[in-house]
Amino acid sequence: MKKILLIFLILKSIVFNAQSISEINSRLGIPDTLASKEIRVYKSYQITTGTELFRFYKVDEKNWSAILYHFRNDLTTFDETVITPKSNFEYLWLQFYIINIKKLPSIREIDYKIQKPRVVFDEKYGYVVETTTLGVMDGIGYKLYYRNLKEINTIQFDNYEIYLKQSPDVDELNAYNEIINLIKANFNVWQ
C-alpha cells in the first residue's frame, strides 16, 4: 500500500509540473527572474486544469504591484486582475518577511513532523514502530517563489490545510497558513 501511495504522490507532482513554471510565465508574458522584492504563489487545483498566480512585487524604488492571473491549461486566454491591497504595500511586504519565508522549507522536507509514529506490539515481531501517514488524493497545491534582494527561496506546500488539521502544532504548516491568510485578507483573493 505504501508503494502505491508513493507512486501516486510522484504522479501528482508530475501533473502539477506538467506545464512548467517557465511555460506558465511565458504564456502570461512575465519574466522567469523575480524582481528584487517579489513573492509569486502559483495555486494549482489538483483535479482541474485551472491555475492561478498571485504576484506581489516592487516595480521600482517607490512603486509596488499586485496581480492575480487566472488561467486554464486547455484555453489560450487568461484573466489578469490588478489588485489594490487593503494596507500599504511596504507594510504587507514586511508582514510576509516576518513569517521568515526565506528559510521556510517545502512540505516534503517536514514529513517527519507530520507523520504520527507510535510503538505497538506485533505477535510476530514484538514491539515495533508504526507510522501513520495521511494520504491526500486531490486538493490544492501551492508553489511559492520568494526573493528579497539576495535572499531567494522556493517552497511547495500541497494540501497543507488537511495536514494542519492533523498536526496543528507544526510551525511550518502554520507559516503556510499565515502566508495564504495574508493574501486572502489583504488582497481579497482566494476567499
Side-chain angles (χ1 to χ4, degrees):
M1 184 65 178
K2 287 184 181 182
K3 289 181 183 179
I4 292 171
L5 181 60
L6 179 62
I7 291 169
F8 174 76
L9 291 174
I10 292 169
L11 289 174
K12 187 173 103 172
S13 176
I14 291 169
V15 168
F16 182 85
N17 293 313
Q19 186 173 15
S20 76
I21 297 299
S22 186
E23 290 171 330
I24 292 170
N25 292 343
S26 175
R27 181 175 171 187
L28 298 176
I30 62 175
D32 285 339
T33 306
L34 300 180
S36 64
K37 291 186 177 188
E38 181 169 356
I39 294 172
R40 290 184 193 179
V41 182
Y42 296 82
K43 180 180 181 182
S44 173
Y45 299 92
Q46 305 290 327
I47 58 173
T48 69
T49 60
T51 302
E52 292 178 315
L53 165 59
F54 169 77
R55 185 174 183 216
F56 173 44
Y57 64 103
K58 191 165 189 175
V59 177
D60 56 37
E61 286 301 313
K62 296 181 181 180
N63 298 303
W64 290 79
S65 183
I67 303 171
L68 181 68
Y69 300 90
H70 179 80
F71 62 94
R72 288 181 27 185
N73 297 340
D74 58 340
L75 298 176
T76 56
T77 60
F78 61 88
D79 294 324
E80 177 181 332
T81 306
V82 176
I83 306 165
T84 303
K86 294 179 180 178
S87 300
N88 174 281
F89 279 109
E90 190 74 32
Y91 171 80
L92 290 173
W93 177 260
L94 293 174
Q95 290 296 315
F96 283 107
Y97 183 81
I98 63 174
I99 296 173
N100 208 14
I101 294 175
K102 67 182 177 184
K103 293 185 179 179
L104 191 61
S106 289
I107 199 164
R108 287 191 183 116
E109 296 174 53
I110 61 164
D111 276 346
Y112 70 97
K113 291 183 174 186
I114 299 170
Q115 296 172 351
K116 300 292 182 185
R118 62 187 182 127
V119 177
V120 296
F121 184 78
D122 181 272
E123 291 291 329
K124 186 175 180 181
Y125 300 106
Y127 288 102
V128 294
V129 175
E130 177 183 84
T131 303
T132 304
T133 304
L134 180 64
V136 181
M137 298 302 182
D138 64 6
I140 299 174
Y142 297 93
K143 192 161 191 178
L144 181 147
Y145 290 83
Y146 168 82
R147 179 175 180 193
N148 183 28
L149 304 173
K150 294 183 180 183
E151 300 170 342
I152 297 173
N153 196 9
T154 302
I155 309 159
Q156 188 162 341
F157 49 105
D158 300 337
N159 305 309
Y160 77 90
E161 291 171 308
I162 294 167
Y163 297 111
L164 185 59
K165 286 178 187 174
Q166 175 188 321
S167 304
D169 56 333
V170 176
D171 292 338
E172 292 85 352
L173 295 174
N174 284 294
Y176 304 149
N177 196 48
E178 282 184 66
I179 292 165
I180 299 304
N181 284 340
L182 268 172
I183 293 170
K184 287 178 179 180
N186 292 287
F187 296 94
N188 202 28
V189 299
W190 298 341
Q191 300 299 330

